[in-house]
Amino acid sequence: MSQVLTFYAQTCSKHIFSSNRSFGSCRDLPVLDAHLHWNYMPSTKSIQIAYRAAQTSEGWIAWGINPTGTGMVGSQAIVAFRGSNGSMTAYPTSITSYNPSLQPSSLSFQVSNISAEYAKGQMTIFAVVGQLATGTSVNHVWQAGRSVSDNIPQGHGTSGPNIQSMATVDFLSG
């Protein structure tokens, strides 16, 4: 058992990103085979993030911050998927209900440099987030779904890991 835990504990710190991207901090997330990498930039109080998760080319992933609560509803997210033209699509979206449209929308905080990639069975979202009104400690959520139809991510599972995908992270202290 300790060998398994050691393997997972090293997953995010050993990852090598394409295009010479590097991140000074990371956390293996407890469910959905997901990982969050970041660089906190004190001069702008913003965070450069890479959220990556195991996924098929037909599925989608999302990562977000909930500035007002701890769950999915109220989250400000970035969703990514392979579009019908074959290229990766990523954009911000607000989660306002348990049946969100996942359409592009503005967020309550600044987000820029959004991009995504798919390689070796993983999707990755890249973005710069902030300055955050809540400081460096935030409630974050992450999600994955199995399908996209007409360039719209479809629903995700409603039990097990899909409803456990939330935590708190402090971008300053890790």
Side-chain angles (χ1 to χ4, degrees):
M1 176 92 165
S2 63
Q3 288 178 328
V4 172
L5 294 176
T6 301
F7 171 77
Y8 284 116
Q10 297 174 353
T11 303
C12 73
S13 63
K14 303 259 186 224
H15 187 74
I16 298 172
F17 288 93
S18 63
S19 306
N20 295 320
R21 297 178 200 233
S22 65
F23 297 88
S25 300
C26 68
R27 181 174 290 173
D28 293 312
L29 301 175
V31 294
L32 299 177
D33 196 9
H35 316 274
L36 181 64
H37 304 257
W38 72 89
N39 293 320
Y40 177 66
M41 298 174 286
S43 61
T44 59
K45 295 183 179 172
S46 58
I47 303 99
Q48 178 185 31
I49 65 106
Y51 167 75
R52 64 185 180 89
Q55 185 54 277
T56 66
S57 60
E58 295 82 26
W60 59 270
I61 63 169
W63 176 84
I65 293 172
N66 189 329
T68 60
T70 58
M72 182 176 89
V73 174
S75 295
Q76 310 282 296
I78 303 166
V79 63
F81 56 89
R82 187 179 295 241
S84 58
N85 65 1
S87 65
M88 287 300 292
T89 299
Y91 55 79
T93 187
S94 294
I95 310 299
T96 58
S97 73
Y98 284 108
N99 190 22
S101 68
L102 294 182
Q103 294 292 315
S105 62
S106 298
L107 304 185
S108 64
F109 49 82
Q110 187 173 352
V111 61
S112 61
N113 298 347
I114 299 171
S115 65
E117 66 183 27
Y118 181 75
K120 300 177 183 174
Q122 289 192 331
M123 284 187 184
T124 305
I125 295 170
F126 298 98
V128 175
V129 177
Q131 175 173 2
L132 299 173
T134 57
T136 60
S137 182
V138 299
N139 295 316
H140 71 120
V141 297
W142 59 98
Q143 200 50 259
R146 295 183 181 182
S147 65
V148 176
S149 178
D150 295 325
N151 287 324
I152 299 171
Q154 301 300 296
H156 60 74
T158 56
S159 64
N162 290 98
I163 60 169
Q164 299 166 349
S165 54
M166 61 185 107
T168 300
V169 62
D170 189 330
F171 291 117
L172 189 56
S173 66

